[in-house]
Amino acid sequence: MTPELQRMDWMPSPPLAPLESPLDLDHLARMTLGDAELEQEVLAMFAEQSVRLIAAMAALPAEAGALAHKLKGSARGIGAFAVADAAAGLEAAIRTGDNPSSAFAALKEAVAEVRAAIEANRKA
């Protein structure tokens, strides 16, 4: 007496994060409790911090892994998940002794995209 199984068509799942922006504004709104002024302040601080950290990591000094870790945490906090993933990639490359150059380039690109999104959000 097993029930008949019906064939169901496969449906793709929605993306876990919005694809149209490198910045998850819904996540940011949750983290700032919907306070638009606080959102802008946090985004401005992240934009400034990311520039400083990228500059500090440019020569890949001994503390580059710790700096990447710091950027990863900040990025996750504001919903810049591509930056967080790229920073984790740099951390891993440094930890395993791989050449970190391509991971650092990917991190710089991800930061540039998020900074552009922050600037666009500020003007909106």
Side-chain angles (χ1 to χ4, degrees):
M1 293 199 191
T2 47
E4 276 190 47
L5 298 176
Q6 294 179 351
R7 177 171 166 76
M8 296 184 73
D9 292 328
W10 177 81
M11 290 180 52
S13 298
L16 296 177
L19 299 177
E20 63 275 356
S21 174
L23 190 59
D24 184 340
L25 296 176
D26 290 334
H27 176 80
L28 178 62
R30 284 190 305 274
M31 297 304 286
T32 58
L33 303 175
D35 184 333
E37 190 175 312
L38 180 58
E39 286 178 20
Q40 293 304 312
E41 186 178 335
V42 168
L43 289 175
M45 289 184 339
F46 178 81
E48 291 175 23
Q49 178 194 43
S50 64
V51 168
R52 284 193 314 273
L53 291 174
I54 290 293
M57 287 186 274
L60 295 170
E63 66 273 6
L67 296 171
H69 185 79
K70 183 180 210 173
L71 184 56
K72 178 177 69 176
S74 296
R76 284 183 178 156
I78 67 161
F81 298 116
V83 171
D85 291 345
L90 178 57
E91 271 187 295
I94 292 169
R95 185 176 50 254
T96 60
D98 292 339
N99 183 346
S101 298
S102 62
F104 181 65
L107 178 57
K108 282 179 26 179
E109 182 177 332
V111 165
E113 289 175 4
V114 167
R115 292 189 76 240
I118 289 170
E119 184 62 26
N121 181 276
R122 188 179 68 79
K123 291 180 179 179

